[in-house]
Each structure stands twice: as structure tokens, then as C-alpha cells.
Amino acid sequence: QVQLVESGGGSVQAGGSLTLSCAASGFTYSPNCMGWFRQAPGKEREGVATLDSFGVTSYADSVKGRFTISKDNAKITLYLQMNSLKPEDTAVYYCAADKVYLCRDRRVWRSGVDYWGKGTQVTISS
């Protein structure tokens, strides 16, 4: 049974940093695409960053230069290093694993994603 378990969320002040982790288990293959998504209260879920099996990354404009996505392939653990956090980064952050198409266009999530984690709350205070 495949599971994605996020950790590392919390509450920090603006300008601070957090590192999220997503531990994957139950996979019999390495997912072609893994990524981080977030959903703020009253807003649609949005793609934050993705990483494909070739190591190609993609970021939302709102986080470019501040967030870094990476992966430990041996452990199939995905990370999101978040620096210079802003109050508008406040959201529940979800880990996703899917086919390569998600990495080509983060909006593909609307059509369904193979696996989602349950999310971890990130709260940034001003």
C-alpha cells in the first residue's frame, strides 16, 4: 500500500525557514514525478514545486528563489526547503506522486493525481 507522509510543518515568523519532508513507502518503482502543492483557506489548491525522475525542477513564480525541492532517491523522500517565508505562504502543504505529466504542467492535478499525502500545516505570522 502506497503512502506519502508529510512532516516538518509548523509556525514561524515571516522571514524564517522551514523544511518539509515527504516519506514515501509502498512503491515498487520510483515515481516519475513528485511535487509539493498547497491549499490556503478559501483558495484552490496550487502547485508549488515539482521534480521529475531526470532531476528537472519546476517552481511556481511566487516561490522561485525562495523554495528548493529535492529528493533522496534511495529513501524516496521528497523535501521542500522554504526560506524567506511570507504570510501568504500560509497553507496546508501536500506531497504528491504521479506520472510525468504532472511535472510538465502542475495544473494537471485537477485531473487527478496517483497519490496524495494528508498534508502538513505551515503558518507564517507577520
Side-chain angles (χ1 to χ4, degrees):
Q1 180 182 359
V2 170
Q3 280 191 314
L4 300 175
V5 180
E6 302 96 335
S7 61
S11 298
V12 299
Q13 290 191 325
S17 299
L18 282 173
T19 300
L20 305 183
S21 299
C22 170
S25 62
F27 280 97
T28 57
Y29 61 94
S30 182
N32 288 326
C33 178
M34 294 189 74
W36 290 97
F37 290 72
R38 68 186 181 186
Q39 188 165 17
K43 294 190 176 181
E44 186 184 45
R45 189 170 296 192
E46 64 171 349
V48 175
T50 57
L51 173 63
D52 72 13
S53 56
F54 295 100
V56 177
T57 58
S58 176
Y59 296 92
D61 288 343
S62 59
V63 306
K64 278 181 182 175
R66 300 189 298 122
F67 291 11
T68 303
I69 189 171
S70 62
K71 183 182 173 191
D72 182 326
N73 286 315
K75 298 178 182 179
I76 314 184
T77 299
L78 189 71
Y79 302 97
L80 186 68
Q81 173 67 44
M82 305 186 294
N83 298 325
S84 303
L85 285 161
K86 304 176 181 180
E88 50 264 42
D89 294 319
T90 294
V92 177
Y93 284 70
Y94 298 92
C95 176
D98 198 17
K99 305 172 187 63
V100 67
Y101 310 109
L102 184 67
C103 279
R104 301 293 175 259
D105 185 345
R106 289 184 296 277
R107 295 170 297 181
V108 165
W109 76 265
R110 297 190 183 112
S111 300
V113 166
D114 285 348
Y115 303 103
W116 286 108
K118 292 185 178 180
T120 185
Q121 176 70 47
V122 171
T123 303
I124 311 302
S125 58
S126 58

